């Protein structure tokens, strides 16, 4: 290519009301990898809703570029047609896209279309499949409650949920919202404890303000950052003490520093302690109220 080649990459992830999917972004990374290996500089135009820092299509000067490359997604609609008009002087290439109407202006406006699928053609592998390998990220189960009105004025559930979820947005992890409530009709919920335990056992960490969120995570041998949503402490605090689990944040001392501290601890020595506690549960090493049930059921000699 000529020395003055300047390439702008965009796609549906670049439109104002477009959305960025994991597949689209990985497809973009595959294209970027090809260009970088070839020593070709390029810019990426993002949707301001996804990457507020930009650069954004609306603020880009088309005359600064010689080539426009549209990555992934279907080729249709007025937004793509507008790209052809705005970047009319550029060589326009679509790569890894789906072609529905081969004669549509969104398709014919490109100089080259390297489709992943199109009528009467053999499909090619989606770009995302060969994107560069990704670093591992922890998978975190999130179990929060907005109930427990029995605690009255001591309830801090809404504030706890707001602060915890805002903090989680800043953590580089895969978040999985979970619920301890069982339901045999709602496919989004587990129908049995075994189903929930199957999910928990595959996690790296649990963040919860629920007693059973903490207990079930530890039962699965998974470390947990527990927050007691009741001012002054209530059943979450009591259960953390009963289980010997230190990663507990009281509602009145909830802040990012406390959450960060226990996050890092859970990722190191907390893993071993969680496995040890879970093994103790399975060995019946932890006393519970059922241990005294038979004695309570026995007739009182004084009666």
């Amino acid at each position: 290519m000529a020395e003055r080649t300047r390439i702008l990459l965009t796609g549906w992830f670049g439109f104002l009301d477009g959305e960025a999917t994991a597949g689209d972004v990985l497809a973009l990374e595959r294209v970027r990898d090809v260009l970088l290996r070839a020593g070709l500089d390029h810019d990426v135009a993002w949707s301001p809703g996804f990457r507020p820092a930009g650069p954004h299509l609306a603020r880009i000067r088309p005359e600064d570029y010689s080539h426009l490359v549209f990555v992934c997604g279907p080729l249709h609609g007025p937004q793509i047609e507008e790209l052809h008009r705005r970047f009319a002087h550029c060589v326009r290439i679509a790569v890894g896209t789906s072609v529905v109407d081969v004669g549509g202006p969104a398709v014919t406006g490109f100089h080259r279309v390297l489709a992943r699928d199109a009528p009467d053609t053999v499909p090619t592998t989606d770009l995302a499949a060969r994107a560069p390998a990704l670093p591992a990220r922890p998978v975190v189960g999130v179990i929060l409650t907005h109930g427990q009105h029995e605690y009255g004025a001591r309830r801090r559930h809404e504030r706890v949920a707001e602060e915890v979820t805002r903090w989680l947005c800043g953590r580089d992890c895969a978040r999985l919202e979970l619920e301890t409530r069982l339901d045999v009709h709602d496919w989004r919920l587990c129908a049995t404890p075994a189903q929930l335990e199957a999910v928990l056992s595959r996690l790296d960490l649990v963040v919860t303000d629920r007693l059973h969120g903490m207990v079930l995570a530890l039962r699965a041998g998974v470390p947990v950052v527990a927050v007691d949503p009741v001012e002054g402490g209530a059943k979450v605090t009591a259960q953390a003490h009963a289980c010997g689990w230190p990663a507990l944040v009281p509602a009145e001392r909830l802040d990012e520093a406390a959450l960060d501290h226990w996050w890092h601890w859970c990722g190191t020595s907390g893993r071993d302690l969680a496995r040890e506690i879970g093994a103790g549960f399975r060995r019946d090493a932890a006393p519970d109220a059922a241990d005294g049930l038979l004695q309570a059921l026995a007739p009182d000699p004084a009666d």
Side-chain angles (χ1 to χ4, degrees):
M1 290 189 179
E3 291 184 3
R4 297 187 61 184
T5 296
R6 293 202 61 189
I7 303 170
L8 177 66
L9 304 179
T10 195
W12 287 97
F13 53 81
F15 294 137
L16 178 62
D17 56 351
E19 62 179 20
T21 70
D24 287 351
V25 175
L26 283 175
L28 170 66
E29 291 305 313
R30 165 66 175 147
V31 171
R32 294 192 67 216
D33 186 56
V34 169
L35 296 179
L36 289 170
R37 289 174 184 271
L40 295 172
D41 292 332
H42 56 274
D43 294 327
V44 179
W46 296 97
S47 166
F50 182 65
R51 294 277 178 87
H56 304 142
L57 279 173
R59 297 183 179 180
I60 279 175
R61 288 165 27 107
E63 58 268 29
D64 290 341
Y65 298 94
S66 61
H67 290 71
L68 175 74
V69 177
F70 191 90
V71 181
C72 198
L75 296 184
H76 77 96
Q79 291 164 300
I80 295 179
E81 294 172 27
E82 174 60 25
L83 283 182
H84 293 315
R85 289 189 289 270
R86 190 170 173 217
F87 291 84
H89 70 284
C90 289
V91 175
R92 298 178 302 284
I93 301 171
V95 57
T97 54
S98 292
V99 175
V100 180
D101 178 7
V102 295
V107 175
T108 59
F110 287 101
H111 295 89
R112 291 287 306 277
V113 175
L114 307 175
R116 67 184 172 195
D117 56 85
D120 302 320
T121 64
V122 177
T124 62
T125 305
D126 183 75
L127 296 172
R130 292 180 57 196
L134 300 174
R137 291 293 182 264
V139 181
V140 179
V142 184
I143 307 174
L144 301 174
T145 177
H146 296 274
Q148 300 179 343
H149 294 277
E150 62 269 24
Y151 291 103
R154 297 170 60 202
R155 292 182 73 260
R156 300 293 180 268
H157 295 63
E158 285 74 19
R159 183 178 67 83
V160 165
E162 180 181 349
E163 293 193 22
V164 167
T165 51
R166 182 172 60 246
W167 168 74
L168 280 169
C169 281
R171 308 302 309 186
D172 189 4
C173 63
R175 295 169 287 273
L176 182 62
E177 185 178 16
L178 297 173
E179 173 61 73
T180 59
R181 182 173 66 85
L182 304 178
D183 194 314
V184 298
H185 303 292
D186 189 340
W187 66 270
R188 293 166 296 186
L189 300 177
C190 293
T192 68
Q195 293 174 8
L196 181 57
E197 188 167 283
V199 176
L200 293 172
S201 64
R202 289 164 169 79
L203 301 177
D204 297 300
L205 177 70
V206 169
V207 176
T208 187
D209 65 356
R210 304 200 70 156
L211 180 154
H212 281 130
M214 176 178 63
V215 172
L216 297 182
L218 294 175
R219 173 185 164 91
V222 177
V224 52
V225 176
V227 180
D228 194 324
V230 180
E231 185 175 354
K235 59 185 179 181
V236 175
T237 297
Q239 193 59 211
H241 293 162
C243 294
W245 185 248
L248 173 72
V249 182
E252 57 269 29
R253 293 203 292 273
L254 177 62
D255 57 30
E256 289 193 4
L259 292 168
D260 285 344
H261 169 77
W262 289 119
W263 171 281
H264 293 298
W265 179 83
C266 284
T268 52
S269 55
R271 295 177 181 174
D272 293 333
L273 181 57
R275 285 193 289 265
E276 179 183 332
I277 291 174
F281 290 166
R282 292 187 292 275
R283 294 194 310 268
D284 296 331
D288 62 20
D291 291 325
L293 178 58
L294 294 181
Q295 183 177 354
L297 290 170
D300 189 335
D303 291 342

